[in-house]
């Protein structure tokens, strides 16, 4: 039996706590939302890069990183993607994700426990489609997804024939 492999943390934006599937997408997000010059709209790679750009090109100082949550606006921090995030914030993120994971597992376990079949349960459909009411107030029986899809396609074809 081998050692348990430590799961890699999913990329997330330190400035706004948004999750990403890929670090490249995170970097694009940071450039577009947090490191974009408000004057000329140039996209830079870091907060300090944005501050230097604004000072040298526009002779203007900026106080903090745009669109960041309170307490995370420090323009001095050199954060690029997942690199440069303060270790205390990385640990806090890991702790929150672990806590959320445990809560999900508990809910799943409770769901599994309540889904067990009791002998006194009567068999029957677990879901019934509701009847539909048209705009004119007419009630017609419910339809399943296959019927809805076929109706949609036939309506589309009819519209195309009419429009030529």
């Amino acid at each position: 039996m081998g050692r348990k492999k430590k799961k890699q943390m999913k990329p997330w934006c330190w400035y706004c706590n948004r999750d990403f599937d890929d670090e490249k997408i995170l970097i694009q997000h940071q450039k577009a939302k947090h490191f974009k010059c408000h004057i000329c709209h140039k996209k830079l790679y870091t907060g300090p890069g944005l501050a230097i750009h604004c000072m040298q090109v526009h002779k203007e100082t900026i106080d903090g990183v745009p669109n960041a949550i309170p307490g995370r606006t420090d323009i001095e921090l050199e954060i690029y993607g997942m690199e440069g995030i303060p270790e205390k914030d990385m640990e806090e993120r890991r702790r929150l994700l672990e806590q959320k994971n445990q809560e999900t597992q508990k809910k799943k376990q409770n769901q599994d426990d309540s889904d067990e079949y009791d002998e006194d349960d009567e068999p029957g459909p677990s879901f019934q489609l509701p009847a539909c009411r048209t705009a004119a107030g007419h009630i017609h029986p419910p339809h399943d997804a296959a019927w809805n899809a076929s109706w949609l396609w036939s309506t589309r074809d009819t519209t195309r024939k009419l429009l030529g």
Side-chain angles (χ1 to χ4, degrees):
M1 192 159 133
R3 294 176 77 178
K4 189 172 184 179
K5 190 174 181 181
K6 191 173 182 181
K7 189 177 178 185
Q8 185 71 11
M9 188 185 297
K10 199 171 178 183
W12 60 284
C13 179
W14 182 77
Y15 296 103
C16 64
N17 277 338
R18 184 172 167 192
D19 293 316
F20 295 88
D21 292 326
D22 187 271
E23 192 163 4
K24 288 178 183 176
I25 305 298
L26 165 61
I27 292 167
Q28 287 177 345
H29 160 80
Q30 288 174 337
K31 287 173 70 176
K33 295 292 180 187
H34 304 298
F35 308 142
K36 184 175 173 182
C37 176
H38 68 283
I39 299 169
C40 67
H41 307 292
K42 179 176 178 141
K43 294 176 184 174
L44 297 117
Y45 288 92
T46 64
L50 176 61
I52 291 167
H53 164 80
C54 286
M55 179 56 74
Q56 290 180 346
V57 177
H58 307 296
K59 308 293 186 250
E60 187 175 302
T61 59
I62 54 173
D63 301 332
V65 174
N67 304 310
I69 59 176
R72 297 213 178 153
T73 58
D74 188 357
I75 199 77
E76 305 282 318
L77 281 176
E78 185 88 28
I79 295 176
Y80 177 76
M82 293 288 290
E83 294 177 29
I85 296 174
E87 191 56 40
K88 66 177 182 63
D89 293 327
M90 290 290 281
E91 288 300 322
E92 176 70 12
R93 178 75 173 190
R94 283 188 194 98
R95 189 185 64 73
L96 285 172
L97 290 174
E98 183 60 33
Q99 185 179 14
K100 189 184 267 187
N101 191 24
Q102 288 174 354
E103 289 172 4
T104 303
Q105 292 295 330
K106 282 181 184 177
K107 284 181 182 177
K108 188 175 181 181
Q109 181 62 42
N110 289 342
Q111 181 75 28
D112 291 346
D113 291 346
S114 67
D115 285 348
E116 290 180 11
Y117 181 78
D118 293 334
E119 287 184 33
D120 58 339
D121 284 348
E122 292 182 23
S126 59
F127 176 76
Q128 188 174 358
L129 292 168
C132 301
R133 185 180 296 271
T134 65
H138 303 292
I139 297 175
H140 59 87
H143 307 292
D144 61 5
W147 185 91
N148 287 334
S150 66
W151 178 85
L152 184 64
W153 283 105
S154 67
T155 304
R156 184 198 68 154
D157 291 343
T158 304
T159 304
R160 282 186 175 167
K161 288 176 186 172
L162 290 173
L163 297 175

